[in-house]
Amino acid sequence: MPLRWQEVALPLIVITFLVALKYIPATAHLPLSRAAGVVAFGYAAFLALRLVQPEEAVLIDGWSELRPSMVEYFACYGAAALAAIILSAIIFMGGAADTAQVIAAYAAVLLLAGGALGIGIAGLFTKVRWDHSRVEHRDAFGRATALDWSEVRSVSPNWRGITIATPQNSITFSQFHGGAAQLAKHASQRARRNAARACLPKVAPVSG
């Protein structure tokens, strides 16, 4: 699946923001250059792993199933590990750091931990599979949603991933899952087919 503009814009915005903060006197003493370097390194690793993301789903007992990719594992566990490292540094620094540095470090820990938790809930611990008649989604809390292909009306990307919608319900899956491109293509074809079928004129029965 090709890169979306959000995947390019977000790291550039973050790096630009960190560089801009470096020229503000109140934040100039913070290790913002290191933070920008970490973001740049992480994005380079993301691009490398994105290139090897599987395009095809896994076939299991007649079902095609999405699987978490290395991108999601790297983002989830990498963010959690970095949060733990920063938190350990805060604890061992004790009173050596000033208040602004401690606040910035705690903010980074919360952002990284929240990001790792969000990626785990939305990506690693969800299950999406489909066959010729329906697509099923089971979230991290065990809630299951099933959509009949005959009822699918739209397929659209958003900040959470890719959403498949029917008039009554919808499911969203991560675009970073292995096989996400295959599912998105299949769902788009079904939506176009259903839309074309809905536009066909209905022929009234001929009374005898």
Side-chain angles (χ1 to χ4, degrees):
M1 181 176 290
L3 289 174
R4 301 194 301 175
W5 69 267
Q6 295 94 332
E7 298 173 38
V8 178
L10 181 60
L12 295 178
I13 292 173
V14 172
I15 292 174
T16 302
F17 179 71
L18 292 174
V19 172
L21 288 178
K22 193 67 178 176
Y23 294 93
I24 299 176
T27 56
H29 64 290
L30 297 177
L32 300 172
S33 299
R34 295 181 183 178
V38 170
V39 173
F41 172 78
Y43 185 59
F46 163 81
L47 290 177
L49 294 174
R50 192 78 160 85
L51 292 174
V52 298
Q53 178 179 333
E55 294 291 323
E56 300 294 326
V58 179
L59 290 174
I60 301 177
D61 297 331
W63 291 83
S64 298
E65 186 173 314
L66 301 186
R67 290 296 176 87
S69 67
M70 291 301 298
V71 171
E72 293 169 305
Y73 283 114
F74 171 78
C76 182
Y77 295 121
L82 188 56
I85 291 172
I86 296 175
L87 184 60
S88 299
I90 296 172
I91 295 172
F92 288 115
M93 277 192 306
D98 60 24
T99 304
Q101 289 179 334
V102 172
I103 293 175
Y106 271 120
V109 169
L110 292 175
L111 287 173
L112 289 168
L117 181 63
I119 294 170
I121 292 176
L124 299 186
F125 305 118
T126 62
K127 183 177 181 180
V128 181
R129 64 177 189 170
W130 73 96
D131 62 4
H132 67 281
S133 61
R134 66 187 185 278
V135 55
E136 295 181 352
H137 177 277
R138 186 178 297 276
D139 65 19
F141 304 103
R143 293 188 294 264
T145 304
L147 306 178
D148 289 337
W149 285 125
S150 60
E151 298 180 355
V152 170
R153 293 293 179 267
S154 66
V155 181
S156 58
N158 52 60
W159 66 273
R160 294 183 301 160
I162 302 172
T163 297
I164 303 174
T166 68
Q168 295 79 26
N169 213 335
S170 66
I171 63 173
T172 299
F173 61 93
S174 171
Q175 72 270 23
F176 302 123
H177 276 342
Q182 181 183 359
L183 177 54
K185 181 179 179 180
H186 183 75
S188 298
Q189 292 173 345
R190 291 282 188 162
R192 287 194 298 268
R193 191 181 307 169
N194 294 340
R197 187 181 298 115
C199 292
L200 291 176
K202 295 182 179 180
V203 180
V206 178
S207 58

